[in-house]
Amino acid sequence: MDRIRIVGGRPLSGAIPISGAKNATLPLMIASLLTEDTLILDNVPRLADVNLLQRILGNHGVDIMVGGKRPGDTEYQGQSLHISAAHIVDTTAPYELVSKMRASFWVIAPLVARMGEATVSMPGGCAIGTRPVDLLIMVLERLGAAIEIDGGYVIARAKRGLKGGEIVFPKVTVGGTHTALMAAALADGVTVIENAAREPEIGDVADCLNKMGAKISGAGTSRIIIEGVAKLSGARHSVLPDRIETGTYAMAVAMTGGDVMLEGARPELLQAALDVLAKSGVQISTTNTGIRVARNGGGIGPVEVTTDPFPGFPTDLQAQLMALMTRADGTSRITETIFENRFMHVQELVRLGARIHLDGETATIEGVRRLKGAPVMATDLRASVSLVIAALAAEGETMVNRVYHLDRGFERLEDKLVRCGADIARISG
Ligand code: UD1
């Protein structure tokens, strides 16, 4: 198993290119199941989760051609996928595949919408909590699918197609909203989604579906209206930049000090996080090429933050902010409202010398003058990158174990940091 060795204490300076968003790429790839024509996705990040989803879609009979580099492409240019679900040969998504990546459960919506049936393994829990799929099932039922649960599988049937309907989410769910968009796109009649997720990735998927011939309006607001169509066609779509990767590197620069240009980043995708950083004394400026983040000399001010659905502060940046606040001049409070158990990083940060007290869903972080390198363990995707951020400012060497979590969601993390002066290397084996 690979490990990452970091020697802390170096400021970051230079430029970091921001990749396409993982959380948009996955549903966009899944949307290819809605049409027999080819969907071309550009700016796709090179990530373990993308490779795994290629395998899962391949199991349904989807052909994927990965476009190579073109003259003039830079080293960090995303890849292009040509995805063709002309013939769906299998409507079952087995446990062995779905259990490796929760988002693969989302294939259920396009499969039942286009093929009239789908059998998809329930994903099970994960390190950040129970993460049920009841609201995704509710969506399919509201649109007329008959649901049966058997042997750990959800079997959805709608032999005569799905029917438009009203969906009112009792809580904001990204996966539930993706499911509703994809199912309603091919349903007969109009669907109205109330309390829809407003995450930018929802808007990106809706844009792509509209290019494919869907009739979706209101994406990006909490009320989305979908007029079902009989058929969708192919399209070409470029994945939006990854706001979580952007926020992660912004926090890394805030942590080490220095001055870095986050190339291709778009501030409106993470305004809440940028506001928090500005409040803690980090200089943030926007240019037409991206977001510039700098901290020269000044300390890190403590903050009080609660995670919320978009446009609030994202849960996917909570661990990274906590790492930053371990070095703040004062006491910070971070409350996690989205996932019940998303504090796996706390004990590992404590191993580096952080002072953190947990009380239910609130963490109180007392800033310390110094962190000290130690061996630590990555527990989930965002938690593992928070350990990297802490290690970049810790004295001496930190060894981050189980880095496969990082490879799921961060493209060439060590390369991007090395280019800005970090002492970080992957140790294979
Ligand atoms: C997506 C993101 C993930 C992010 C999360 C919240 C992807 C691939 N993943 O995950 O990175 O952390 O949004 O922004 O885009 N819930 C239910 N029943 C359901 C579904 C969800 O109770 O059927 C609950 C969850 O347990 C959680 C909350 O709703 O407490 C939000 O979850 P949701 O937005 O659905 O997260 P994901 O779509 O799985």
Side-chain angles (χ1 to χ4, degrees), residues 69-85:
K69 277 197 190 301
R70 301 286 141 89
D73 279 0
T74 63
E75 198 186 344
Y76 286 95
Q77 204 114 359
Q79 52 190 349
S80 293
L81 302 185
H82 295 239
I83 311 176
S84 164

Side-chain angles (χ1 to χ4, degrees), residues 185-199:
L186 284 183
D188 181 19
V190 176
T191 298
V192 178
I193 311 175
E194 302 282 1
N195 199 23
R198 289 180 282 165
E199 271 63 7

Side-chain angles (χ1 to χ4, degrees), residues 22-23 26 102-103 106 131-136 171-176 178 199 315-316 338-339 342 382:
K22 170 181 91 77
N23 284 356
L26 302 178
R102 291 186 50 82
W106 301 348
R131 301 187 77 178
V133 288
D134 56 322
L135 297 176
L136 283 67
K171 86 200 283 192
V172 175
T173 154
V174 172
H178 283 311
E199 271 63 7
T315 174
D316 285 352
I338 310 290
F339 292 111
R342 201 168 211 184
R382 311 305 177 185

